[in-house]
Amino acid sequence: MKLRNVARWCALTGIVAGLAVAGPAISARATRLPECAPGPKSTRPPTGPAGPKAPGACRASGRILESGVRMTRPGNGFTPSGYHHLGAGTSGEWSGVSGRFSIVDGSIRPNTYDFVAGRFMAKRDMGGGQIRWLEAGWAETGWATPGRQHIYTFNTNTNVWQFHNQYAVRPGDQIWFDLNSDANGVWRAWLWWNNRWNLLTTQKLPIGATAQMEQYVEVHVDSSRPARIDVPKVTVDNVRLRPADRGPARYWREDVGTLTGAEVNQQQRRGGFCLDWVTRYDTWTAGGC
């Protein structure tokens, strides 16, 4: 089954002008959590689901690099430029998604609109061509500290990339993320860091308390400078979904209604990039073919 691509609007002029330093991207709803003290990467996997009541839960602190860069609407062509989506989305609605992404070093060109990202997303089609969402993951871009990989979030309340550079990640790292909502439709993006859940952002989105979930490795090649970008294989695993009734999370398996960019028995291929399912749909790899 086909999954409709998500639009990212239009590119702003001036890559450098699209960057600004901001404070923590946390709403007033998150202020009850203590600030996260600086610390190293986690040495063990999560011990439980992310949430304000998780042991040691804290909110991200420190400055965030914000970017207003927005890309042109993605097409469905197999050209070297534009968007290439590798992954899957749910056909039904869930209250959260979580799992682990490996981080790689792509051949992203500095001072371009190139990027590679591994991310989860919660989204809803509002009709009339309008989609609202929250996403979180890691990204390497041509405009924000080229050559560096960042933890990032993006939401359609602010329509800006938020790079959480207090978390120093590098190729070879494996990082856990969790997106989930509460019964009031407040969505939160979490990062497992220093062996506890760090709250990256809290957003009251007009999508309700449940939404469609996505897991993607996404590559964008600057349409003004078409080229082939090398992306080593990104590994995604331990992907779980939270039911709409907020029951225990479960692995994203074949019995979940799932939308992909290819037929079930076909390999996903997009502009020189390939996806291979190890276990549908909670363990997979994506990158250059």
Side-chain angles (χ1 to χ4, degrees):
M1 289 182 287
K2 301 293 185 180
L3 177 65
R4 180 167 51 189
N5 291 326
V6 176
R8 282 189 188 265
W9 315 91
C10 298
L12 299 180
T13 57
I15 293 176
V16 176
L19 299 174
V21 175
I26 303 295
S27 76
R29 291 177 179 268
T31 56
R32 296 189 189 96
L33 291 176
E35 289 189 358
C36 300
K41 293 185 291 289
S42 293
T43 58
R44 53 180 171 78
T47 54
K53 296 182 180 179
C58 59
R59 57 187 173 91
S61 60
R63 292 194 173 276
I64 295 168
L65 185 68
E66 290 194 341
S67 167
V69 169
R70 304 171 191 174
M71 309 304 171
T72 55
R73 184 180 181 89
N76 293 317
F78 292 81
T79 65
S81 63
Y83 275 85
H84 308 285
H85 291 90
L86 298 157
T90 64
S91 58
E93 295 187 6
W94 300 77
S95 64
V97 61
S98 63
R100 181 172 66 170
F101 284 87
S102 69
I103 294 178
V104 303
D105 184 10
S107 59
I108 302 303
R109 298 166 297 171
N111 299 317
T112 68
Y113 292 117
D114 293 350
F115 76 79
V116 59
R119 51 82 167 170
F120 291 126
M121 178 186 288
K123 73 170 189 179
R124 179 177 295 278
D125 188 336
M126 310 299 290
Q130 298 296 312
I131 299 175
R132 297 289 181 262
W133 75 85
L134 170 64
E135 66 182 280
W138 72 268
E140 180 184 350
T141 79
W143 67 89
T145 320
R148 175 177 175 176
Q149 296 78 34
H150 308 260
I151 301 299
Y152 86 98
T153 58
F154 183 99
N155 70 85
T156 50
N157 285 339
T158 62
N159 282 324
V160 296
W161 296 70
Q162 295 172 327
F163 298 103
H164 303 258
N165 288 338
Q166 62 269 44
Y167 302 107
V169 294
R170 64 184 62 184
D173 289 345
Q174 293 184 307
I175 304 297
W176 298 79
F177 298 94
D178 192 315
L179 287 181
N180 62 75
S181 72
D182 63 20
N184 297 317
V186 177
W187 288 84
R188 297 177 174 90
W190 300 83
L191 167 72
W192 180 251
W193 191 268
N194 197 20
N195 294 328
R196 60 181 182 173
W197 285 110
N198 290 224
L199 179 60
L200 299 176
T201 190
T202 301
Q203 299 293 330
K204 176 67 172 177
L205 292 164
I207 65 176
T210 60
Q212 290 180 290
M213 301 296 133
E214 289 187 353
Q215 53 170 336
Y216 270 95
V217 171
E218 186 176 1
V219 183
H220 182 269
V221 182
D222 192 330
S223 58
S224 68
R225 297 172 59 184
R228 293 284 181 178
I229 290 179
D230 178 50
V231 178
K233 292 288 186 183
V234 178
T235 299
V236 187
D237 59 23
N238 286 278
V239 182
R240 293 177 172 89
L241 294 165
R242 291 196 188 190
D245 63 6
R246 284 169 182 76
R250 50 151 299 171
Y251 284 105
W252 188 336
R253 293 286 167 83
E254 286 188 287
D255 59 334
V256 173
T258 300
L259 305 171
T260 70
E263 298 300 324
V264 172
N265 295 321
Q266 292 181 341
Q267 183 186 47
Q268 278 193 37
R269 288 176 173 264
R270 292 288 184 275
F273 304 104
C274 294
L275 179 152
D276 292 295
W277 297 107
V278 178
T279 302
R280 297 179 188 268
Y281 292 94
D282 62 24
T283 306
W284 50 285
T285 63
C289 296

